[in-house]
Amino acid sequence: MEPQLLHTVADGIATVVIHHPAKRNAMTARMWRQLPPLLGVLAEDPAVRVLVLTGEGATFCAGADISSLREPGQDPRSLAVAAEEALAAFPKPTLAAVRGYCVGGGCQLAAACDLRFAEEGARFGITPARLGIVYPESSTRRLASLVGPATAKYLLFSAELIETERALRTGLVDEVLPEGELGKRVAEFARVLVSRSRLTQAAAKEFASGRTDRAAYWAEQARGSGDAAEGVAAFLERREPRFSWTYGSESAGGLSPKDERGCH
């Protein structure tokens, strides 16, 4: 099978698999270009509640496939940034499930996800200093926001790889699982996310990313959704809540998050 991004949707969970096992799932130019439109389709799919990004087999992603990026006029950094930004802008919760190497462009993609779960033995690194490449400004700022300026400088200055223990300590990953347990835990946690309020998740994702102009918008959505009343009723009745707010269910005349982004 040629290098590509594979995806499935089941039980509200979209799983995107980086498939290039011959080169430790390194991203080719075609794969970088493939990611933004794929994410666009999944964002619009009402069956998708959560997105999981992972790699084929025992490796998440070893970065960019340099051999595929040497075409005349090809700018690998612009392709990677476009893919990273599309992943960061995905309106639903995203989770990177990391095994093995998560290096260079692979770490760039993982950092663009909302959460990162890793298997013990995974190794993380951002390696432009090995190649004399200037790491993109937006990617550097996202990394520093995630792990702090000191750890971001350590990774970028040295291009050294770090183990899961340090990645967990610095905030690069959120959970570390024993070997063989990652898939089970990711599936379990994704099901938890599917069961929660999409309204809460959508608003929290925007607020956590630093957006400051949407408080009134989300307050209006909360008033019209009925999710809070349903949550309280479900709690008192000792049952699972049936939250009704969905992406695109905004009140008449209002803009969806996607539409409003397009107005800026």
Side-chain angles (χ1 to χ4, degrees):
M1 185 182 294
E2 66 179 9
Q4 61 183 300
L5 300 176
L6 306 175
H7 76 279
T8 59
V9 178
D11 301 322
I13 304 164
T15 302
V16 175
V17 180
I18 304 169
H19 182 93
H20 191 188
K23 293 194 176 181
R24 290 180 173 174
N25 296 328
M27 293 281 289
T28 65
R30 178 177 177 273
M31 294 164 75
W32 287 120
R33 285 191 292 263
Q34 185 183 1
L35 187 56
L38 172 59
L39 293 173
V41 170
L42 295 176
E44 295 291 337
D45 187 345
V48 174
R49 299 281 303 275
V50 176
L51 184 140
V52 175
L53 178 67
T54 192
E56 182 70 30
T59 297
F60 180 74
C61 175
D65 182 352
I66 302 300
S67 64
S68 76
L69 301 174
R70 299 181 67 182
E71 304 166 9
Q74 186 69 72
D75 182 357
R77 288 173 296 175
S78 64
L79 291 177
V81 169
E84 175 192 3
E85 293 300 323
L87 185 55
F90 193 77
K92 307 169 187 182
T94 57
L95 192 158
V98 178
R99 297 179 183 85
Y101 287 95
C102 180
V103 178
C107 202
Q108 194 172 350
L109 291 175
C113 290
D114 297 314
L115 300 166
R116 288 148 296 281
F117 288 8
E119 185 176 82
E120 287 181 351
R123 304 188 74 190
F124 299 82
I126 301 177
T127 55
R130 293 180 184 269
L131 301 171
I133 294 172
V134 174
Y135 201 56
E137 178 185 3
S138 59
S139 306
T140 302
R141 292 187 183 278
R142 178 169 290 113
L143 178 67
S145 176
L146 182 62
V147 302
T151 298
K153 290 173 184 176
Y154 177 92
L155 292 168
L156 288 165
F157 289 2
S158 71
E160 292 290 293
L161 304 187
I162 63 173
E163 307 288 350
T164 49
E165 180 182 354
R166 182 165 186 174
L168 180 65
R169 187 172 69 249
T170 60
L172 186 56
V173 301
D174 300 285
E175 290 191 17
V176 174
L177 287 305
E179 184 176 353
E181 296 295 318
L182 180 64
K184 177 182 177 181
R185 173 57 179 153
V186 167
E188 174 188 76
F189 190 77
R191 287 193 296 270
V192 169
L193 296 182
V194 167
S195 74
R196 304 309 193 214
S197 166
R198 283 165 283 191
L199 173 64
T200 301
Q201 292 169 346
K205 182 159 182 167
E206 284 199 359
F207 292 157
S209 69
R211 188 158 183 176
T212 60
D213 62 339
R214 298 266 283 179
Y217 170 84
W218 287 114
E220 180 183 356
Q221 293 302 306
R223 285 192 297 270
S225 72
D227 270 16
E230 168 60 16
V232 171
F235 177 81
L236 295 175
E237 296 166 15
R238 299 177 182 272
R239 62 171 172 81
E240 290 297 317
R242 296 182 291 272
F243 296 118
S244 59
W245 189 93
T246 62
Y247 302 90
S249 68
E250 292 79 3
S251 57
L255 292 174
S256 70
K258 178 183 176 184
D259 292 334
E260 190 162 289
R261 282 197 301 271
C263 294
H264 294 289

